[in-house]
Amino acid sequence: MAERRTYGDPCGIARALDLVGERWAVLVVRELVLGPKRFSDLRGSLPGVSPDVLTERLRDLEVAGVVIRRTLPPPAGSRVYELSEWGRELEPVVLALGRWGSRAPFPPDAAQLGVDAFVLALKTLFDPSAAGALKASYELRIGEDHFHARINRSRLEITRTTAEHPDAVIDSDTASLSAVLWHGRRLGEARRSGDVKIAGSMPAVERFLSLFPPPTPARGPH
């Protein structure tokens, strides 16, 4: 194994980058924020990374104590990777980085936003002041992934699970939802085309979608 590179700087920022500053490392963390995943799941979520590089990053993060590996109990028996207790402390860091980066221009020919990246974008862009006294529950169905989004006044919680008796169910894909939320597509048009399916209260859905305003673009160079 190649010797790990280090900045050799005692600053906490430098020491953090020693652990998660390698290419793809933070994106691996991003993919594990919402729960454990198999190697194949990570490969599917990060199509730009080679199997060898992904293996190396997971090994580095495991050695650093950021990621742990375990085997699910029968009948699944799958080996999964998940954030350690210390690794989970990276969630607000990842969200803050996403909030800052969301103001940057989109890369040319950008790929479709991944499922976990989309859900974390919701957490990143959630406006607690817009929620007011709202208390509501939603189920988001994005392909085969189901998430339960709970809003309790100024707090948003999203977990990878189905919801019991939600106020509404939103069934779509990340591209269609992103277009409605942040790129000016009308919800009604997305529904008529079948790209977004809704069950339950439409006012509740409209209120939910209003809680994630698009970021203000950063000022470019003069």
Side-chain angles (χ1 to χ4, degrees):
M1 183 188 308
E3 184 178 348
R4 287 181 58 82
R5 293 183 293 181
T6 175
Y7 288 101
D9 187 326
C11 166
I13 297 170
R15 285 183 286 153
L17 291 174
D18 282 345
L19 301 178
V20 298
E22 291 285 353
R23 184 170 171 81
W24 297 104
V26 171
L27 295 186
V28 170
V29 171
R30 180 196 72 188
E31 290 301 314
L32 296 177
V33 165
L34 295 172
K37 286 187 174 183
R38 299 171 299 177
F39 185 88
S40 58
D41 297 327
L42 290 167
R43 281 280 292 131
S45 301
L46 299 168
V49 65
S50 71
D52 288 346
V53 170
L54 179 57
T55 298
E56 183 178 351
R57 291 298 167 267
L58 287 167
R59 182 177 59 228
D60 291 345
L61 291 169
E62 188 176 2
V63 169
V66 175
V67 165
I68 58 177
R69 179 175 36 168
R70 65 183 175 90
T71 301
L72 297 177
S78 302
R79 177 174 290 184
V80 296
Y81 296 88
E82 63 185 346
L83 295 177
S84 66
E85 183 177 352
W86 187 41
R88 288 195 295 272
E89 294 178 19
L90 281 167
E91 179 176 354
V93 179
V94 171
L95 294 180
L97 188 62
R99 190 173 299 112
W100 183 80
S102 67
R103 300 181 61 205
F106 277 90
D109 303 319
Q112 180 173 315
L113 198 62
V115 174
D116 283 43
F118 172 80
V119 172
L120 291 182
L122 293 181
K123 299 185 75 170
T124 294
L125 298 174
F126 175 67
D127 182 359
S129 64
L134 177 65
K135 290 186 176 182
S137 171
Y138 303 87
E139 182 169 317
L140 306 179
R141 298 176 182 173
I142 308 174
E144 297 180 354
D145 293 278
H146 291 201
F147 297 90
H148 183 192
R150 295 179 296 275
I151 297 173
N152 186 357
R153 295 187 171 92
S154 62
R155 292 180 58 85
L156 168 68
E157 294 181 2
I158 305 180
T159 52
R160 194 191 302 274
T161 185
T162 56
E164 291 188 11
H165 311 298
D167 294 283
V169 175
I170 304 172
D171 188 344
S172 187
D173 57 79
T174 63
S176 298
L177 287 174
S178 296
V180 170
L181 281 164
W182 303 307
H183 304 296
R185 189 179 185 188
R186 299 280 187 178
L187 176 60
E189 191 278 325
R191 290 187 68 199
R192 286 190 295 272
S193 69
D195 291 336
V196 176
K197 301 179 179 66
I198 292 172
S201 168
M202 269 301 298
V205 170
E206 292 169 348
R207 182 71 188 280
F208 178 75
L209 297 178
S210 72
L211 301 179
F212 310 96
T216 302
R219 294 178 61 185
H222 295 291

